[in-house]
């Protein structure tokens, strides 16, 4: 159980780093991202530092990561770890199969490959870290 909580906390911290600040753009109400999503799985592979592995997540009263994507291209992220809550917000921009996510402080934006699965009402975000060789595939499911 502690390993799951540690993994959730580590993932929440990584997600906070990924969801980092940029410009506002006008959103499209028909965007497939509009809605609330929960983190369900992270797959890390190809790491030269041995950080490979898969973690799955379920929401409960003490641990959960949710992201609400709005039609105006803003997001709100709520991370619940061991009952403690952290909130974050910022903007996003979906450009074809690329998702750029920016923190509200306006300093850094990150992006990754976006893939929507309408059958499972989920999406994956794939990021590659050039320094470590890690490929992180994160899966979110619509609430």
């Amino acid at each position: 159980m502690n390993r799951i909580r540690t993994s959730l906390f580590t993932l929440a911290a990584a997600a906070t780093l990924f969801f980092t600040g940029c410009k506002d753009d006008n959103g499209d109400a028909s965007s497939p991202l509009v809605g609330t999503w929960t983190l369900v799985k992270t797959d890390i592979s190809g790491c030269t530092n041995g950080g490979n592995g898969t973690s799955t997540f379920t929401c409960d009263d003490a641990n959960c990561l949710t992201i609400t994507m709005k039609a105006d291209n803003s997001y709100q992220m709520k991370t619940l770890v061991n009952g403690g809550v952290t909130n974050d917000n910022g903007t996003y921009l979906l450009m074809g199969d690329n998702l750029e996510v920016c923190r509200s402080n306006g300093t850094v934006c990150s992006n990754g490959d976006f893939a929507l699965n309408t059958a499972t009402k989920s999406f994956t975000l794939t990021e590659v870290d050039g320094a470590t060789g890690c490929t992180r595939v994160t899966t979110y499911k619509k609430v």
Side-chain angles (χ1 to χ4, degrees):
M1 186 63 155
N2 283 337
R3 182 171 183 234
I4 293 171
R5 286 183 179 151
T6 300
S7 294
L8 184 59
F9 179 76
T10 302
L11 185 58
T16 300
L17 291 174
F18 174 76
F19 285 94
T20 50
C22 61
K23 61 191 176 286
D24 284 329
D25 290 300
N26 292 331
D28 178 1
S30 64
S31 170
L33 275 175
V34 172
T36 300
W37 304 84
T38 60
L39 173 67
V40 294
K41 182 179 176 186
T42 299
D43 234 342
I44 301 173
S45 62
C47 298
T48 58
N49 64 0
N52 300 310
T54 299
S55 298
T56 57
F57 305 94
T58 57
C59 287
D60 59 33
D61 292 340
N63 299 288
C64 190
L65 187 145
T66 59
I67 301 170
T68 300
M69 308 296 249
K70 299 181 180 180
D72 67 355
N73 284 36
S74 67
Y75 76 85
Q76 293 180 326
M77 181 170 64
K78 178 181 176 183
T79 307
L80 180 64
V81 177
N82 297 328
V85 178
T86 303
N87 292 297
D88 190 23
N89 59 51
T91 61
Y92 72 92
L93 181 60
L94 181 59
M95 302 165 287
D97 63 354
N98 185 271
L99 178 63
E100 179 182 65
V101 183
C102 306
R103 240 184 139 148
S104 62
N105 65 10
T107 58
V108 179
C109 292
S110 299
N111 64 66
D113 293 332
F114 170 83
L116 180 68
N117 185 330
T118 55
T120 62
K121 296 183 180 179
S122 64
F123 76 87
T124 59
L125 192 59
T126 303
E127 305 168 78
V128 178
D129 183 333
T132 64
C134 295
T135 297
R136 178 192 324 262
V137 179
T138 308
T139 304
Y140 296 88
K141 186 164 178 78
K142 198 159 197 174
V143 175

